[in-house]
Amino acid sequence: MSFTTDVKNELCSYSLSKKDEKIVMYGFLYSLKEQKEYFTESEAISEYLRKISGEKKPLVRLAQRRGKSGTLLKFDGIGFDFGNYNISSELVNGRDENTGLFLRGVFLSCGIVSSPDREYHLEFTLGTEEKAEKICRLMNESGMNIKKSRRREKHILYTKDSEGITDILTFIGAMLSSMEIMNAKIYKGVRNNVNRAVNCESANIEKTVAASRKQLEDIEYIAQCNSLGILSDELRQIADIRMENIELSLTEIGKLSKPEISRSGVYRRLKKISGIADKLRRERGD
């Protein structure tokens, strides 16, 4: 079952007054294509639409589309005037509650929303530019930031903003689905932070290991040249500690030194050892 179906099933699960059901049905029918038919795989959605259609019950028959079985509802003599595409000011009178009910019907008719586990995307697909324009204006006037696009002969209203999607779902009454998207966003944020921390730690470990390996190679080269005797006592102590403890950090090497020295002190001494090794390589032509 898709997330879109989950959202629509949630919207169909709430009981409304007859007046509110009429506004939802008006929004649903307003968004249908000219042939006034609707196919759904969800029995819950089919039953809900038959329930809120009042006396003008749709013609219902089993059907298949794109290899999927479902119910085809055909609406005739629906009792609403959509001739000029204007949204009824009597039913949608500027109150947020009525606008939300109208848009609930629109979403049931032509809305889809992606699973928040994959991406953030919500859209409405309208058959005419006039309907898309009027719904877009209504949504933006109600504080929802929705964009317009066109896909072949279809007119699309869409948003890819997670907060915009949760606002729309909350506005049309799908509070549980809205919470699911918010929870998914929180989970993604935590997971991304953990991944960044792990990647950063891994990178630091790799850099430490690479540096330790280079320091060990320098010390071993000096030993191969029988030149450890040219190291001062301070440098020889650091060289011995590094050779015996390749996995230690500079801070840990400093704590083993006698007397104990700082990380920067260890770094300076190892740098001097590296300089001596490089000088020997130049002299020997290595």
Side-chain angles (χ1 to χ4, degrees):
M1 184 181 297
S2 69
F3 187 66
T4 296
T5 301
D6 290 340
V7 175
K8 291 184 178 183
N9 285 344
E10 180 190 351
L11 292 174
C12 293
S13 68
Y14 299 120
S15 297
L16 299 173
S17 68
K18 292 297 182 183
K19 179 181 177 182
D20 289 347
E21 287 179 350
K22 183 177 181 180
I23 299 174
V24 173
M25 196 65 197
Y26 173 74
F28 174 83
L29 294 172
Y30 179 90
S31 309
L32 287 180
K33 294 181 181 180
E34 294 304 320
Q35 61 265 35
K36 305 300 181 188
E37 65 177 35
Y38 179 75
F39 174 82
T40 177
E41 298 174 61
S42 169
E43 186 175 343
I45 296 174
S46 173
E47 288 296 327
Y48 180 76
L49 292 172
R50 279 181 276 185
K51 173 180 176 295
I52 69 171
S53 59
E55 296 180 0
K56 307 291 184 179
K57 299 294 182 186
L59 177 66
V60 178
R61 65 181 179 85
L62 297 179
Q64 277 201 340
R65 285 192 177 178
R66 297 174 184 172
K68 297 180 180 180
S69 300
T71 304
L72 183 66
L73 297 92
K74 289 197 172 186
F75 299 88
D76 295 310
I78 54 181
F80 295 117
D81 179 18
F82 302 116
N84 56 10
Y85 299 128
N86 286 333
I87 298 173
S88 170
S89 58
E90 179 183 350
L91 295 174
V92 187
N93 55 13
R95 295 178 58 201
D96 283 349
E97 294 86 346
N98 290 351
T99 301
L101 291 167
F102 172 78
L103 293 175
R104 180 185 299 196
V106 174
F107 185 85
L108 287 172
S109 172
C110 64
I112 62 170
V113 57
S114 299
S115 170
D117 295 335
R118 297 194 298 272
E119 61 178 346
Y120 299 117
H121 183 89
L122 179 147
E123 72 175 47
F124 301 92
T125 303
L126 286 306
T128 67
E129 183 176 4
E130 292 84 354
K131 288 182 179 180
E133 177 61 38
K134 293 184 185 301
I135 293 175
C136 181
R137 186 182 302 120
L138 177 66
M139 295 183 73
N140 285 322
E141 287 175 353
S142 299
M144 288 166 278
N145 186 17
I146 199 82
K147 298 177 181 179
K148 291 188 297 181
S149 180
R150 185 165 181 170
R151 191 182 301 141
R152 297 186 180 89
E153 300 302 317
K154 297 176 181 178
H155 300 271
I156 310 297
L157 304 179
Y158 73 96
T159 178
K160 295 178 180 291
D161 176 61
S162 61
E163 291 185 7
I165 293 172
T166 56
D167 286 346
I168 291 171
L169 293 182
T170 300
F171 195 81
I172 66 176
M175 280 74 72
L176 295 178
S177 299
S178 179
M179 284 295 298
E180 188 171 341
I181 291 177
M182 286 187 270
N183 289 337
K185 184 177 181 181
I186 293 171
Y187 173 76
K188 284 182 180 179
V190 171
R191 184 182 62 191
N192 290 340
N193 287 337
V194 169
N195 287 339
R196 277 194 293 269
V198 169
N199 291 338
C200 182
E201 182 66 20
S202 297
N204 288 336
I205 291 173
E206 289 176 3
K207 287 168 64 177
T208 299
V209 170
S212 298
R213 187 178 296 111
K214 176 63 168 61
Q215 293 156 9
L216 190 60
E217 289 174 355
D218 289 338
I219 296 168
E220 289 176 341
Y221 185 81
I222 295 172
Q224 290 170 10
C225 296
N226 297 316
S227 299
L228 288 175
I230 68 176
L231 300 180
S232 67
D233 292 342
E234 291 178 343
L235 297 184
R236 182 61 182 268
Q237 178 186 220
I238 292 298
D240 290 341
I241 295 173
R242 169 52 82 199
M243 290 186 72
E244 295 171 1
N245 303 278
I246 188 174
E247 78 284 353
L248 293 186
S249 66
L250 300 186
T251 300
E252 291 168 329
I253 291 176
K255 290 180 179 179
L256 292 178
S257 302
K258 303 296 182 185
E260 184 175 326
I261 59 176
S262 66
R263 180 187 184 281
S264 59
V266 174
Y267 175 78
R268 285 194 296 270
R269 294 181 186 183
L270 285 168
K271 195 168 183 62
K272 287 181 181 179
I273 293 172
S274 178
I276 292 170
D278 289 341
K279 182 180 178 181
L280 289 171
R281 289 186 181 100
R282 289 193 297 270
E283 291 175 350
R284 293 165 59 93
D286 295 337

